[in-house]
Amino acid sequence: MKKIIKKGLLFSSCIIMLMTPFSVNAAKSSVRGVKVTLKAVNTVKGVRLSWNKTKAKAFTVQRKSGSKFKTIKKLNGKYSYTDKNVKSGTKYSYRVLANASASNTKKIIRLSQPVIKHIGAGDLEGMTINWEKVKGAKKYEIYKSEIKGKKASYKKIGTSGNNYFSFNEKSGQPSNYKIRAVNGSYKSALSKLQKYTHMERVNLNTAINSEYDGISVTWDSVKGASEYYLYKAAGESEDFKQVAVITKINTAYTESGLKINYCEYEDKDVTDGETYKYYVTYKAGDNISKEDNTSIIIYKPYDKILNLNVGDTDESLLDFTFDGDFGTLISVKSSDEGVVYVEKTDDKKAIINAVSHGEAYIDVVYSTEYNEGYQIRYKIQVE
């Protein structure tokens, strides 16, 4: 009877344990089966790891840069960790253990935050950004946000395989710029913002005008400029005075069809033999550009001078027969045929005849195999 009773008790105990819904073994199984999803991103301080909240509270962070995973941190009740002991350009693998469960393995190339060294005007036009190279970077992304109010919305404006980027920018608009290092799908944190207001340089061209009665001042228009201020000084004086405010934009096209927008001013308040200096500033937004690129020219109502005596003839000055088919005379004209008479002998040559004492101008229009309509003026002095 005793043996039968013991067997019955043992059988009853087994039934009770199987019927209990919250067994110890079942609780361990629910923790062991937790799923941890790991993410990794480059930040300013290091590689930041983060994962989802789970029933587990204890986590072990492991890292591999060689062949084996090594534990680098143990956490309790935290779901993120920044690994600061990393080197730019090195590839790391991470995983997180929660009890007996392991997260997915996350790989990342550590890329340090770029540091902008300089922002300024380019050598010729536009602007340039320079930054320190980041070890491991294959290229860089350049971002810009115009400063309008308190919010800054950054947009990528380009990429560069070097540690500099040149581009055209509107003048007068304050903007913030940032740089990001990139290697495939891996990206660094954005650099600290660098504020800059671009003001394009103005490159002046000065020349004797086509009528030879003044100086033509021209310059390419600046994107963002609303008006231009032309300044002038004469002789050795550095006392520049504003002589014009220009708002009109002209358009021209090169032989290849390239569109050029430019401004011009004809200065006829000039004296033969005098030296003149010019520079241009402009208004863009709330900013006025600084004085830059002064152009110097000596005004003469001709390009070259030739001295002759009465009765002389000259056959070399207007001889375009040299160098094959390089030049062709289109027209030649004397301002005073009583002093100087010009005889066009063929399409490549003209003879100058000194008739009487005095001076006269000869206007010549010629072409080359590359361009048509070149103009030049000679001053002929007859003794």
Side-chain angles (χ1 to χ4, degrees):
M1 291 294 293
K2 290 182 179 179
K3 291 181 178 180
I4 294 172
I5 292 170
K6 286 182 178 179
K7 287 181 179 180
L9 289 172
L10 181 59
F11 180 73
S12 299
S13 298
C14 289
I15 292 173
I16 292 170
M17 290 181 69
L18 289 171
M19 293 296 291
T20 303
F22 300 105
S23 67
V24 175
N25 289 335
K28 287 183 178 179
S29 177
S30 65
V31 173
R32 186 180 294 114
V34 71
K35 184 177 181 180
V36 178
T37 303
L38 181 63
K39 297 179 180 179
V41 294
N42 280 305
T43 65
V44 175
K45 294 182 178 180
V47 175
R48 186 178 185 276
L49 307 171
S50 62
W51 54 94
N52 55 304
K53 291 185 178 181
T54 67
K55 292 180 180 180
K57 298 297 180 183
F59 302 97
T60 299
V61 180
Q62 294 187 328
R63 184 185 74 189
K64 180 175 68 173
S65 58
S67 58
K68 294 182 179 180
F69 276 101
K70 295 181 180 180
T71 297
I72 59 173
K73 190 68 176 181
K74 290 187 176 182
L75 302 167
N76 193 352
K78 294 184 178 180
Y79 302 92
S80 65
Y81 173 70
T82 298
D83 184 9
K84 299 179 182 179
N85 188 26
V86 287
K87 295 180 179 179
S88 190
T90 301
K91 191 172 187 177
Y92 298 96
S93 296
Y94 292 92
R95 70 183 181 186
V96 173
L97 305 181
N99 290 340
S101 298
S103 71
N104 58 306
T105 299
K106 198 67 179 177
K107 296 179 181 180
I108 188 171
I109 295 176
R110 170 58 181 166
L111 295 171
S112 299
Q113 179 190 36
V115 177
I116 296 176
K117 296 169 61 177
H118 174 73
I119 299 181
D123 293 336
L124 297 176
E125 61 181 12
M127 59 177 284
T128 299
I129 304 177
N130 297 83
W131 56 89
E132 294 180 0
K133 289 184 177 180
V134 173
K135 189 174 182 180
K138 297 295 184 182
K139 63 180 181 179
Y140 302 87
E141 296 176 343
I142 298 87
Y143 293 83
K144 168 193 167 183
S145 174
E146 293 185 355
I147 302 174
K148 294 179 179 179
K150 295 182 179 179
K151 292 185 178 180
S153 178
Y154 284 90
K155 294 182 180 180
K156 187 172 75 171
I157 60 174
T159 58
S160 174
N162 301 298
N163 61 324
Y164 62 87
F165 182 65
S166 298
F167 59 106
N168 289 325
E169 183 64 283
K170 180 173 69 176
S171 293
Q173 172 59 55
S175 298
N176 291 330
Y177 298 89
K178 291 184 178 182
I179 309 297
R180 191 202 300 272
V182 179
N183 185 331
S185 61
Y186 306 111
K187 297 184 178 183
S188 73
L190 287 166
S191 68
K192 292 182 179 179
L193 68 86
Q194 193 69 259
K195 181 179 178 181
Y196 182 72
T197 301
H198 179 60
M199 297 298 285
E200 186 69 69
R201 294 176 177 175
V202 176
N203 295 309
L204 287 183
N205 294 302
T206 52
I208 309 302
N209 65 13
S210 58
E211 290 77 23
Y212 290 89
D213 60 354
I215 296 174
S216 177
V217 185
T218 60
W219 62 92
D220 290 341
S221 64
V222 172
K223 185 179 180 181
S226 56
E227 56 185 20
Y228 301 85
Y229 314 106
L230 178 64
Y231 292 85
K232 170 187 175 182
E236 297 181 357
S237 173
E238 295 298 325
D239 182 21
F240 282 87
K241 295 182 179 180
Q242 183 178 307
V243 294
V245 177
I246 308 296
T247 58
K248 181 182 178 182
I249 307 298
N250 304 291
T251 301
Y253 293 88
T254 64
E255 291 185 356
S256 62
L258 178 65
K259 182 179 179 181
I260 299 174
N261 296 317
Y262 69 98
C263 301
E264 65 179 348
Y265 178 77
E266 294 286 330
D267 183 11
K268 296 190 177 183
D269 184 16
V270 291
T271 303
D272 188 3
E274 183 64 277
T275 299
Y276 296 99
K277 292 169 281 190
Y278 301 89
Y279 72 82
V280 167
T281 63
Y282 62 89
K283 182 179 181 181
D286 296 327
N287 301 283
I288 302 294
S289 67
K290 296 180 180 179
E291 172 188 345
D292 194 15
N293 295 325
T294 299
S295 181
I296 303 174
I297 186 172
I298 298 174
Y299 171 69
K300 292 180 179 180
Y302 56 89
D303 297 295
K304 296 180 180 180
I305 190 169
L306 175 66
N307 294 306
L308 296 174
N309 293 316
V310 175
D312 286 348
T313 60
D314 182 276
E315 299 184 11
S316 61
L317 187 64
L318 301 182
D319 185 355
F320 286 78
T321 59
F322 61 89
D323 197 16
D325 294 329
F326 180 78
T328 301
L329 283 173
I330 298 175
S331 66
V332 290
K333 183 179 179 181
S334 172
S335 64
D336 189 345
E337 293 188 347
V339 176
V340 174
Y341 173 73
V342 184
E343 180 184 3
K344 189 171 180 290
T345 58
D346 57 39
D347 61 355
K348 294 183 181 298
K349 189 173 181 180
I351 299 174
I352 301 173
N353 299 280
V355 179
S356 62
H357 296 287
E359 63 180 36
Y361 297 104
I362 297 177
D363 289 306
V364 180
V365 179
Y366 67 98
S367 66
T368 70
E369 59 183 311
Y370 303 107
N371 292 289
E372 294 183 358
Y374 282 118
Q375 182 175 328
I376 190 169
R377 171 177 279 190
Y378 297 98
K379 181 179 179 179
I380 313 299
Q381 290 184 327
V382 182
E383 300 296 334

